[in-house]
Amino acid sequence: MIQADIKEKLQQIVGPENYDDSKAGRLVYSYDASPQFQSMPDAVVAPRNKEEVQKIVKICNKHRIPIVPRGSGSNLCAGTCPIEGGIVLLFKHMNKILEIDEENLTVTVQPGVITLDMIKAVEEKGLFYPPDPSSMKISTIGGNINENSGGLRGLKYGVTRDYVLALEAVLANGEIIRTGGKLAKDVAGYDLTRLLVGSEGTLAILTEATLKLVPMPETKKTMLALYQDIEACAQTVSNIIASRIIPATLEFLDQPTLQAVEAFAHIGLPTNVKAVLLIEQDGPEEVVERDIEKMAEICRAEKAVDVQVAKSPEHAEALMTARRTALSALARLKPTTILEDATVPRSEIAKMVVAINGIAEKYGLNIGTFGHAGDGNLHPTCLADIRDKDEMERVEKAFAEIFQKAIELGGTITGEHGVGVAKAPYLEWKLGHTGIEVMKAIKNALDPNHILNPGKVFAKETNRVVMMK
Amino acid sequence: MIQADIKEKLQQIVGPENYDDSKAGRLVYSYDASPQFQSMPDAVVAPRNKEEVQKIVKICNKHRIPIVPRGSGSNLCAGTCPIEGGIVLLFKHMNKILEIDEENLTVTVQPGVITLDMIKAVEEKGLFYPPDPSSMKISTIGGNINENSGGLRGLKYGVTRDYVLALEAVLANGEIIRTGGKLAKDVAGYDLTRLLVGSEGTLAILTEATLKLVPMPETKKTMLALYQDIEACAQTVSNIIASRIIPATLEFLDQPTLQAVEAFAHIGLPTNVKAVLLIEQDGPEEVVERDIEKMAEICRAEKAVDVQVAKSPEHAEALMTARRTALSALARLKPTTILEDATVPRSEIAKMVVAINGIAEKYGLNIGTFGHAGDGNLHPTCLADIRDKDEMERVEKAFAEIFQKAIELGGTITGEHGVGVAKAPYLEWKLGHTGIEVMKAIKNALDPNHILNPGKVFAKETNRVVMMK
């Protein structure tokens, strides 16, 4: 509960129409795209500019009120679930594209801009913003930066972090910092820009960002390679990279995912094979042609039963869009969809896929796997029913084993979804006690009162079950 | 002075042959490549492995002895000058390439590896490590990471930061952290990898690094564009990028630099023009041909008096090598060479070059300018004599004005050389008081006793002279 006098102050700052503590209003923001987590905020506050953000933060810091910054809430780690109450800080008004700078190849935005809107705006100028999280139709740039979102083009182009040049942010004490600039090189001080990227709103509240753009690739081409042998499919991924080709996209979909996506999207995906690689290359035409041909050869050499090149740009676009709907497609099948993103070095993909299937069998679970194979970022997805307690317990154990296996193979517990609440109990497995202590020291230094997205990233307790065996 | 009992302990750890507190030994490490700074360490200690580093750090932390980690000392910010005494920690023994992983396209090294040795080793496997600081013949990878070194290929390929995937480091308390992995995507916790990159040895001591490699470009081509009009030359840089071409290298050299380099390298550089752009493109042959042709056109349209394409790979290599000798060439002319790296958005290059020339004239100084024009990273270089007190005062004032101008234009005080001692008094100009406070909070959290490279990055006093006018 926000005290009456504080509520009044907050309403004065943002206007009464931007302060909502009705039950219905709060309920809407009590959860995000992550299943299994729900918690009511005390109020939902929508500032209109950074000065309002500053004022709100100062009040919250004084009165120890948690602040949960939120774009569209499309994250999959319960990163915007207000588990300690407080206010959800909604960026719906701060959604302007402030500048597209064609000389310096940058775009400057407010955090509430929808990712795809920004991508379309820069593409109109012949420029390209590569990070493309599957949620980009609804996600916001602020959310992407806070989660350091990846996407389908990560293999060749990197992730959100690689495109953030400058940030403006409000610290827990209400002061504003500006990091970086429209600069390809800047080593003036610690890399605060990248410290904030991926910090999940626990270190500061973003109010503006300048992102790097690159020239639009001249052309692109898409193909599918079909497999009856999952290991051969995974091996192909390693072989393509080892042959010194870096495709723009190199996605893996197993049969359950293919069937679900086809039933959802109806675009003629093969459903009678065990796995498919969806491959895209972009760049100058000659290079794209040559790479696609070479990759087709590599696929065939590794026992692909068929290789199909998309017939038209529209067909290619339909394939990529279908891939982006994988989560939605799978989510239709059962009441609860738990999508994870254990990530391994790409040389270990085959082992990881085999391990996931073994773990699913061991626990009697329905786990489909798809994901960004080229960068080792897999999305094992469990279809379950949250009302079935026994099943949910098995799901938890299975995912703990999957995380453990990923770490064993030199991987990580999350490639692009973030830690949030969902993965916090496993973070120490990856970073060790010392790594967590370093992070805590930084958190305490910047947010001593723990008002910024509390309960995220840092677990009350590390999961010891599997690691202790 | 290191106490006798501590000296004995340190000698036991590294062996007496790796502990040197002779006057001659200490003198060698009392300075680095930065002029104007010298200070004697108490001892020079060369550990052979990370366990020895840990033990040394624990002793130093207990007894508050400064540790200055040092590779080859080729930095230009006095980043390895032991201004508070203590020990210089020398990485000459920890210079192994541990692994080149051709499947995951990574190389794992100890910090003392010479940059060019590593580059040659990976190139033998058809792989490419793009960051190429001009000092790469002698610099170490550990130094490159600590300074977040740039280089000639930064425009297209980014800087050291963009290639560091994983680090192992010893914290001030002697504990080891491991960050990242052979992973294209990893969002498990704060980005400690990039917090350490560019932290100049003030947050932890690196003991191992895994770096990202990319496939070797198929071919490359080099050209020179000659100008009698410096502004037209600078404008060409913006025009090339605005035309959506990102060359691998886009270097600017003014007449004084050209003359000095030609006198030093004798490779037939034009010396009768006001400025030259040295341009390289790499990639598939068709693309390189097309880009070089298009860039030649752009140069001619912007009043280049001549455009010369390198006749052979050897000639191209000679041109790039000559550019890398610019500092050495200029340094021969006068007793003291002060090379700076004020950096601006590339759209502001023309304004910055004009401003530098104006400032040089105002203070009656000899300032030549060369640098990585494509990423706005200029190296105004002042030839002076440290014994001429009046001149040195003018040099300081001139550079303060150059930094101020760079910041006015949206730039930074250092693009790739680091802050160290040399630029610490100016850091607040770029980051503001709040930015410095955030950095101090992080420093205090990770190194509460300030034993790690003390006196670097954080100034005792900010230079107020110019900013207050």
Side-chain angles (χ1 to χ4, degrees):
Chain A
M1 261 285 284
I2 309 279
Q3 283 169 229
D5 59 325
I6 297 173
K7 171 175 172 174
E8 201 178 312
K9 276 185 199 157
L10 291 170
Q11 283 184 325
Q12 273 168 10
I13 295 167
V14 296
E17 70 281 14
N18 290 312
Y19 182 96
D20 188 355
D21 58 3
S22 70
K23 192 165 177 199
R26 290 184 297 130
L27 195 62
V28 173
Y29 296 102
S30 65
Y31 58 92
D32 55 27
S34 335
Q36 300 174 272
F37 298 92
Q38 187 174 22
S39 178
M40 288 290 267
D42 295 308
V44 179
V45 183
R48 292 163 296 189
N49 53 55
K50 68 176 176 225
E51 291 76 16
E52 290 184 2
V53 174
Q54 273 191 292
K55 286 178 193 161
I56 294 164
V57 171
K58 280 181 185 165
I59 289 174
C60 289
N61 196 34
K62 191 174 164 194
H63 299 284
R64 311 286 191 267
I65 298 168
I67 304 177
V68 181
R70 177 175 171 129
S72 300
S74 54
N75 75 85
L76 295 165
C77 63
T80 47
C81 179
I83 56 167
E84 300 195 6
I87 66 167
V88 165
L89 198 69
L90 204 60
F91 282 87
K92 62 180 183 179
H93 298 308
M94 293 175 68
N95 64 349
K96 310 289 175 304
I97 296 177
L98 301 172
E99 183 200 41
I100 297 174
D101 179 340
E102 294 190 65
E103 250 189 306
N104 291 303
L105 306 192
T106 62
V107 57
T108 299
V109 296
Q110 291 182 323
V113 171
I114 300 294
T115 311
L116 190 60
D117 290 350
M118 188 198 79
I119 289 178
K120 283 184 180 162
V122 304
E123 289 190 353
E124 268 174 33
K125 313 259 184 195
L127 294 169
F128 186 42
Y129 177 75
D132 61 340
S134 294
S135 56
M136 67 185 185
K137 265 190 189 177
I138 53 161
S139 71
T140 64
I141 289 292
N144 293 170
I145 295 171
N146 271 315
E147 300 294 334
N148 187 13
S149 300
L152 278 67
R153 301 190 281 236
L155 170 59
K156 183 170 181 176
Y157 289 102
V159 294
T160 302
R161 176 190 66 220
D162 302 306
Y163 294 86
V164 182
L165 291 176
L167 291 173
E168 178 190 78
V170 176
L171 298 171
N173 63 11
E175 286 181 47
I176 284 185
I177 52 165
R178 283 185 192 79
T179 72
K182 289 181 184 173
L183 299 165
K185 288 174 174 171
D186 180 13
V187 292
Y190 299 157
D191 193 345
L192 300 180
T193 306
R194 277 157 204 89
L195 180 63
L196 293 183
V197 174
S199 65
E200 306 191 15
T202 64
L203 297 179
I205 310 277
L206 303 182
T207 50
E208 196 180 298
T210 298
L211 307 168
K212 174 180 151 174
L213 303 172
V214 294
M216 192 72 190
E218 289 166 34
T219 185
K220 59 185 174 182
K221 209 152 189 178
T222 304
M223 68 182 219
L224 292 176
L226 282 49
Y227 291 84
Q228 292 298 2
D229 176 344
I230 289 192
E231 280 184 69
C233 175
Q235 188 55 48
T236 303
V237 173
S238 288
N239 294 359
I240 287 173
I241 307 296
S243 82
R244 312 283 190 260
I245 298 175
I246 310 285
T249 292
L250 185 41
E251 295 288 309
F252 170 88
L253 297 96
D254 70 0
Q255 193 165 26
T257 309
L258 285 166
Q259 288 169 344
V261 172
E262 180 56 22
F264 182 76
H266 308 294
I267 57 154
L269 279 175
T271 53
N272 58 345
V273 292
K274 286 277 188 306
V276 155
L277 289 180
L278 169 61
I279 306 174
E280 186 179 277
Q281 182 57 304
D282 62 9
E285 199 166 345
E286 312 88 308
V287 179
V288 169
E289 288 294 337
R290 199 200 313 169
D291 284 356
I292 287 282
E293 253 172 59
K294 259 177 92 177
M295 287 190 285
E297 264 171 52
I298 293 169
C299 292
R300 286 192 198 98
E302 202 52 70
K303 297 185 272 176
V305 293
D306 196 11
V307 175
Q308 306 170 348
V309 176
K311 284 163 197 70
S312 64
E314 292 71 30
H315 184 209
E317 196 51 40
L319 287 171
M320 299 302 281
T321 304
R323 157 62 189 86
R324 288 202 174 88
T325 64
L327 172 57
S328 317
L330 287 161
R332 298 196 315 162
L333 303 182
K334 289 265 271 176
T336 310
T337 310
I338 301 137
L339 183 146
E340 276 305 340
D341 76 329
T343 301
V344 293
R346 71 173 73 88
S347 60
E348 309 301 315
I349 291 265
K351 278 180 218 158
M352 192 66 207
V353 170
V354 171
I356 290 168
N357 291 341
I359 291 165
E361 202 174 322
K362 174 176 166 188
Y363 289 102
L365 292 169
N366 185 0
I367 301 185
T369 295
F370 64 99
H372 320 297
D375 39 43
N377 181 203
L378 293 174
H379 294 312
T381 303
C382 188
L383 304 178
D385 187 337
I386 202 163
R387 294 161 299 187
D388 182 340
K389 236 188 122 183
D390 173 68
E391 188 183 44
M392 291 311 285
E393 271 170 28
R394 284 180 284 128
V395 168
E396 203 189 322
K397 283 183 191 156
F399 276 111
E401 273 195 40
I402 288 173
F403 296 150
Q404 188 178 29
K405 185 71 191 175
I407 289 170
E408 251 178 60
L409 294 173
T412 185
I413 58 167
T414 173
E416 57 179 13
H417 291 172
V419 178
V421 189
K423 237 102 43 126
Y426 305 98
L427 188 61
E428 194 176 324
W429 296 9
K430 169 70 174 78
L431 300 182
H433 178 71
T434 309
I436 300 280
E437 287 303 307
V438 169
M439 284 179 48
K440 276 189 185 162
I442 293 169
K443 168 73 176 174
N444 290 332
L446 297 191
D447 178 23
N449 298 325
H450 290 213
I451 61 156
L452 298 177
N453 214 3
K456 310 300 157 59
V457 183
F458 301 98
K460 290 214 165 52
E461 220 172 322
T462 285
N463 186 321
R464 310 266 172 210
V465 183
V466 180
M467 289 302 267
M468 282 187 337
K469 78 174 178 187
Chain B
M1 259 286 283
I2 308 281
Q3 282 169 230
D5 59 326
I6 297 173
K7 171 176 171 173
E8 201 179 311
K9 276 186 200 156
L10 291 170
Q11 282 184 327
Q12 274 167 9
I13 293 167
V14 296
E17 70 281 15
N18 290 314
Y19 182 97
D20 188 356
D21 58 2
S22 70
K23 192 166 178 200
R26 292 184 295 130
L27 195 60
V28 172
Y29 296 102
S30 65
Y31 58 90
D32 56 28
S34 334
Q36 299 174 273
F37 298 91
Q38 186 172 22
S39 179
M40 288 291 265
D42 296 309
V44 181
V45 183
R48 292 162 297 188
N49 53 54
K50 70 177 174 221
E51 291 77 16
E52 291 184 2
V53 175
Q54 273 192 293
K55 286 178 193 163
I56 294 164
V57 171
K58 280 181 184 166
I59 289 175
C60 289
N61 197 33
K62 189 172 165 194
H63 299 283
R64 310 286 191 270
I65 300 168
I67 304 176
V68 182
R70 178 177 170 127
S72 299
S74 54
N75 74 85
L76 295 164
C77 63
T80 47
C81 178
I83 56 168
E84 299 194 6
I87 66 167
V88 165
L89 198 69
L90 205 59
F91 281 88
K92 63 179 181 179
H93 298 307
M94 293 176 67
N95 64 348
K96 312 289 176 300
I97 296 176
L98 301 172
E99 184 201 39
I100 298 174
D101 180 339
E102 295 189 62
E103 251 189 307
N104 291 303
L105 306 192
T106 62
V107 56
T108 299
V109 297
Q110 292 183 321
V113 171
I114 300 294
T115 311
L116 189 60
D117 291 350
M118 189 198 77
I119 288 178
K120 282 184 180 162
V122 304
E123 289 189 354
E124 269 175 33
K125 312 260 185 194
L127 294 169
F128 186 44
Y129 177 74
D132 61 340
S134 293
S135 57
M136 67 184 184
K137 265 190 188 175
I138 52 161
S139 70
T140 65
I141 289 292
N144 293 171
I145 295 171
N146 271 315
E147 299 295 334
N148 188 14
S149 300
L152 278 66
R153 300 190 282 236
L155 169 59
K156 182 171 181 174
Y157 289 102
V159 295
T160 301
R161 177 190 64 219
D162 302 306
Y163 294 86
V164 183
L165 290 175
L167 291 173
E168 179 190 77
V170 176
L171 298 171
N173 62 11
E175 285 181 48
I176 285 185
I177 52 165
R178 283 184 193 79
T179 72
K182 288 180 182 174
L183 299 165
K185 287 175 176 171
D186 180 12
V187 292
Y190 299 158
D191 192 345
L192 300 180
T193 306
R194 278 157 204 89
L195 180 63
L196 293 183
V197 174
S199 65
E200 306 192 13
T202 64
L203 297 179
I205 309 276
L206 302 182
T207 51
E208 197 180 297
T210 298
L211 307 169
K212 172 181 154 176
L213 304 172
V214 295
M216 192 71 191
E218 290 167 34
T219 184
K220 59 185 175 182
K221 210 151 188 178
T222 305
M223 69 182 219
L224 292 175
L226 283 50
Y227 291 84
Q228 291 299 2
D229 176 345
I230 289 191
E231 282 184 69
C233 175
Q235 188 56 48
T236 302
V237 174
S238 288
N239 293 359
I240 287 173
I241 307 296
S243 81
R244 311 286 189 255
I245 298 175
I246 310 284
T249 290
L250 185 41
E251 295 287 308
F252 170 89
L253 297 97
D254 70 359
Q255 193 166 26
T257 309
L258 285 166
Q259 288 169 345
V261 172
E262 180 56 22
F264 182 76
H266 308 294
I267 57 154
L269 278 176
T271 54
N272 58 346
V273 292
K274 286 278 189 303
V276 155
L277 289 180
L278 170 60
I279 305 174
E280 187 179 275
Q281 182 58 303
D282 63 10
E285 200 166 343
E286 311 88 308
V287 179
V288 170
E289 288 294 338
R290 198 200 314 170
D291 284 355
I292 287 282
E293 252 172 58
K294 258 176 93 177
M295 288 190 284
E297 262 171 52
I298 293 168
C299 292
R300 286 192 198 98
E302 202 52 70
K303 296 184 273 177
V305 292
D306 196 11
V307 175
Q308 306 170 350
V309 176
K311 284 164 199 70
S312 64
E314 293 72 30
H315 184 210
E317 196 51 41
L319 288 172
M320 299 302 282
T321 304
R323 158 59 189 87
R324 287 200 175 89
T325 65
L327 172 57
S328 318
L330 286 162
R332 298 196 316 162
L333 304 180
K334 288 266 272 176
T336 310
T337 311
I338 301 137
L339 182 146
E340 277 305 341
D341 77 329
T343 300
V344 293
R346 70 173 75 87
S347 59
E348 308 301 315
I349 293 264
K351 277 180 217 158
M352 192 66 207
V353 169
V354 171
I356 291 169
N357 292 341
I359 292 166
E361 201 175 321
K362 173 177 167 188
Y363 289 102
L365 292 169
N366 184 0
I367 300 185
T369 295
F370 64 99
H372 319 298
D375 39 42
N377 181 203
L378 293 172
H379 295 311
T381 302
C382 187
L383 305 178
D385 187 336
I386 202 164
R387 294 162 298 189
D388 182 341
K389 235 188 120 182
D390 173 67
E391 188 182 45
M392 291 311 286
E393 271 171 28
R394 282 180 285 129
V395 169
E396 203 190 321
K397 282 183 191 157
F399 275 111
E401 273 195 40
I402 288 172
F403 296 150
Q404 187 178 30
K405 185 71 192 175
I407 289 170
E408 250 178 61
L409 294 172
T412 184
I413 59 167
T414 173
E416 58 179 11
H417 291 171
V419 177
V421 189
K423 237 102 44 124
Y426 306 97
L427 188 59
E428 195 176 322
W429 296 9
K430 168 70 175 78
L431 301 183
H433 179 70
T434 309
I436 299 281
E437 288 302 308
V438 169
M439 285 180 46
K440 275 189 186 163
I442 293 169
K443 167 73 175 173
N444 289 333
L446 296 191
D447 178 23
N449 298 325
H450 290 213
I451 61 157
L452 299 177
N453 213 3
K456 310 299 157 59
V457 183
F458 301 98
K460 292 217 163 48
E461 221 172 323
T462 286
N463 187 322
R464 310 268 172 208
V465 183
V466 180
M467 288 303 268
M468 285 187 335
K469 79 175 178 185

